[in-house]
Amino acid sequence: MKTVHIIDDEIRLDMTVLAVNSHVKGYNLCWHINKKLCINFIKKEIFIGENKESLSAFEAEYENKKITLVNNRSKKGVLVPEKKNVDFFIIVEPEILNTAKEEFISKLREISKILLIFEVDLEKEQEAHRFIIND
């Protein structure tokens, strides 16, 4: 007889994920974010999800946090199918807490190339595991 084991532990992701809509390319958006936040994004290949899909992304350090800008669209399709209308995701590790998160988002909203930005609720997101980056 086959034995099935179920893990009841809830996995807590220690990250903040922001969805961004913009009509510019990733490198152009990075340039505007670099200018606004005084950081330096560096292009890098990352691996995301269970199947370790390879994607081009941009990474930077900001206030002791790792920030990754990932394009939602790739040659293989959409990174998060439920959010196919989103152009980019900004993944911040570890999680940004309340006031700092509001300040960070308000700074990003000041960038004219960002049309819309909102936080993704990881507890309600079925595809939250796709935001785990495997370097």
Side-chain angles (χ1 to χ4, degrees):
M1 181 173 195
K2 189 176 182 180
T3 305
V4 176
H5 299 280
I6 299 174
I7 299 175
D8 282 341
D9 257 356
E10 183 180 314
I11 298 173
R12 171 114 168 85
L13 299 173
D14 186 25
M15 65 178 68
T16 300
V17 178
L18 304 173
V20 177
N21 280 347
S22 178
H23 59 278
V24 297
K25 301 276 187 194
Y27 63 87
N28 194 334
L29 182 59
C30 284
W31 185 84
H32 287 283
I33 295 172
N34 285 344
K35 190 175 173 183
K36 181 66 180 175
L37 299 179
C38 299
I39 59 176
N40 187 24
F41 274 108
I42 297 172
K43 188 172 183 177
K44 174 176 185 178
E45 185 176 18
I46 60 169
F47 302 96
I48 291 186
E50 296 168 342
N51 61 356
K52 298 190 179 181
E53 182 180 347
S54 174
L55 294 169
S56 291
F58 300 89
E59 285 189 352
E61 286 283 325
Y62 179 71
E63 296 181 356
N64 296 324
K65 298 194 183 302
K66 177 179 153 187
I67 301 175
T68 308
L69 178 77
V70 180
N71 195 329
N72 191 28
R73 291 173 188 82
S74 70
K75 292 178 182 177
K76 293 184 179 181
V78 180
L79 176 65
V80 182
E82 294 175 348
K83 304 237 185 287
K84 62 184 174 186
N85 294 332
V86 172
D87 297 319
F88 300 95
F89 291 103
I90 296 177
I91 304 168
V92 183
E93 297 176 279
E95 182 177 15
I96 307 174
L97 302 176
N98 304 327
T99 339
K101 185 187 314 180
E102 291 171 15
E103 289 175 19
F104 183 70
I105 292 173
S106 69
K107 285 180 184 177
L108 291 174
R109 281 191 177 132
E110 292 173 6
I111 299 171
S112 64
K113 301 300 180 188
I114 293 179
L115 305 174
L116 175 68
I117 185 168
F118 61 92
E119 184 177 4
V120 176
D121 188 355
L122 295 176
E123 293 179 16
K124 294 179 182 176
E125 182 64 44
Q126 292 179 351
E127 301 287 330
H129 66 278
R130 293 184 172 266
F131 297 116
I132 298 172
I133 297 173
N134 303 311
D135 288 314

